[in-house]
Amino acid sequence: MHKNVGVKMGKISESHGELYHYTTAAGLSGILQSKSLWATHTSFMNDEEEILGFYDRVLPKILHPIYKKYIKEVRDNPKFLALIGTTPIERYCSNEFAQLIGNFKGVAPITHDHYVTSFSTTNDAWIREHGLLSQWRAYGPDGGYAIVFDTRPFEKLLDEEAAHYKGDTYSWADVQYELHPNRRTGDADTDNWIEILERASDKYFRSNSSDDLGELLEPLTILSTLFKHRGFDEEKEVRLVLSLFGSEMESHVGIKAAPEHPVKAMVRGGATVPFVELCVKETNGVRENLPIKKVIVGPHRDKNERKRAVQLLLRQHGVSAEVCVSDIPYRGK
């Protein structure tokens, strides 16, 4: 179940030379101090449909044509006719397909725990300099900050990390907000995973074997983390996902020998929120700085004072990066 992050990330640096991470003042300070990014468990993210929405909205559209083709081939088979008895075939197939999707959805929280850190991208030169208003509102209600990362050295950090945690699944891609009528997205990596899922599901429908069911897990895991509701489309999100085996799966597949990515916890809004630290690199026991190119100070009446404060903070942590202020006339709080 290990996906070499280097393979998945190759096209990210080619498509996006910079990645924008919108955050609060506390988030900026935390990233500089810890010299890491925190990936949050998907159960505590701002999209309430996170992961499970894929099983409701997208997966049925991918699998239904394959299931329909399978039923067309076996509908006159005596064993199949004996199985459905007097139930009308359309009703039987509809119920079975709904149950199939429900089973996949029910298993999803058990098989894996997903930890996500998100970035935004843009091809608009003005937004690259001043940020996106919707992001300032969502990620920084008091003005906020956008940390701009240099993608290529960022990829290198993750390559090294993935080589150490060989039992973990890293996914790194543009988030998709819509599945086209041809069951494709137009994104080569995502569409490749859809094709893998289609082949594996066709094989499973015909065999009904637990071994063939296992082949569905990886494409389901990857794809469930790469789709979001179209209401979030403006974010143009690039997502880094770390998928860890759930405790039940660990004992089942016997991967305890592989190094485990440490899971930590923070308190937010009165709740304990699991997270993992990503992009950590140490030299002689000292953590290295992340590849930060620039910090944009979000709209605020005190934005120039905040710019100076960020410059001092970066200097304190030994980070050489440009600091600028957004020209968007939004006062925040």
Side-chain angles (χ1 to χ4, degrees):
M1 289 280 297
H2 173 243
K3 174 68 178 172
N4 186 334
V5 72
V7 173
K8 193 78 174 165
M9 291 171 60
K11 69 102 171 168
I12 293 297
S13 62
E14 295 170 5
S15 303
H16 310 297
E18 299 175 341
L19 295 173
Y20 291 68
H21 183 70
Y22 290 81
T23 187
T24 61
L28 171 63
S29 179
I31 288 170
L32 291 172
Q33 290 179 14
S34 69
K35 303 182 190 303
S36 68
L37 282 174
W38 292 9
T40 307
H41 195 285
T42 52
S43 298
F44 297 87
M45 296 184 68
N46 63 344
D47 180 359
E48 65 180 10
E49 284 193 341
E50 203 69 58
I51 305 299
L52 297 181
F54 165 80
Y55 293 89
D56 291 331
R57 294 181 287 102
V58 181
L59 186 60
K61 295 178 182 178
I62 296 174
L63 295 189
H64 189 262
I66 299 169
Y67 182 75
K68 186 176 180 181
K69 177 184 175 183
Y70 161 72
I71 293 300
K72 183 177 180 180
E73 293 176 1
V74 302
R75 64 181 300 153
D76 295 326
N77 186 297
K79 291 183 179 180
F80 177 74
L81 294 174
L83 179 65
I84 67 174
T86 58
T87 305
I89 189 169
E90 289 77 11
R91 183 192 304 170
Y92 173 84
C93 293
S94 177
N95 292 341
E96 284 293 303
F97 185 73
Q99 183 176 341
L100 177 73
I101 298 298
N103 289 343
F104 285 146
K105 183 178 179 180
V107 167
I110 300 173
T111 59
H112 290 85
D113 288 300
H114 304 285
Y115 297 85
V116 173
T117 188
S118 299
F119 309 88
S120 286
T121 64
T122 181
N123 294 321
D124 188 302
W126 194 90
I127 293 176
R128 283 200 296 268
E129 291 298 317
H130 302 284
L132 191 63
L133 177 57
S134 62
Q135 292 284 30
W136 293 129
R137 286 171 169 163
Y139 291 93
D142 192 30
Y145 302 83
I147 306 173
V148 184
F149 291 98
D150 190 345
T151 310
R152 196 167 295 278
F154 201 70
E155 290 177 339
K156 185 178 179 181
L157 280 174
L158 286 165
D159 265 327
E160 295 171 357
E161 189 168 286
H164 178 69
Y165 296 109
K166 296 182 184 297
D168 301 341
T169 300
Y170 286 74
S171 309
W172 178 248
D174 293 279
V175 168
Q176 303 303 311
Y177 304 94
E178 184 179 4
L179 189 71
H180 301 315
N182 65 350
R183 308 193 305 281
R184 297 294 183 267
T185 65
D187 177 78
D189 285 329
T190 304
D191 289 346
N192 180 58
W193 281 110
I194 291 175
E195 291 172 8
I196 292 172
L197 175 62
E198 289 174 334
R199 290 194 295 269
S201 61
D202 182 67
K203 186 177 179 182
Y204 170 66
F205 290 155
R206 297 174 186 282
S207 70
N208 199 30
S209 164
S210 58
D211 290 338
D212 292 334
L213 177 61
E215 293 184 18
L216 287 165
L217 287 180
E218 185 171 27
L220 283 174
T221 296
I222 299 295
L223 288 170
S224 67
T225 63
L226 297 183
F227 278 88
K228 288 188 72 173
H229 191 280
R230 64 182 302 171
F232 293 90
D233 177 80
E234 187 184 34
E235 296 176 358
K236 297 293 182 287
E237 182 180 343
V238 172
R239 172 172 284 192
L240 173 60
V241 184
L242 174 65
S243 299
L244 306 181
F245 279 111
S247 56
E248 293 185 25
M249 287 296 294
E250 285 181 343
S251 59
H252 177 69
V253 300
I255 61 167
K256 279 291 186 180
E260 292 184 315
H261 212 114
V263 176
K264 301 183 178 183
M266 58 180 164
V267 177
R268 187 174 66 194
T272 301
V273 180
F275 74 94
V276 295
E277 287 188 295
L278 298 176
C279 306
V280 175
K281 182 177 182 179
E282 294 186 356
T283 301
N284 298 323
V286 178
R287 289 191 177 186
E288 298 184 8
N289 287 316
L290 295 174
I292 298 174
K293 289 183 64 175
K294 180 169 65 176
V295 176
I296 305 174
V297 178
H300 195 274
R301 61 189 177 193
D302 300 326
K303 60 186 179 183
N304 290 315
E305 289 80 0
R306 291 182 172 205
K307 174 182 177 181
R308 180 58 179 158
V310 172
Q311 289 172 330
L312 293 172
L313 186 62
L314 292 175
R315 182 186 303 173
Q316 176 187 350
H317 290 283
V319 176
S320 177
E322 176 190 357
V323 182
C324 61
V325 296
S326 174
D327 196 37
I328 295 178
Y330 170 66
R331 291 185 181 274
K333 284 187 176 179

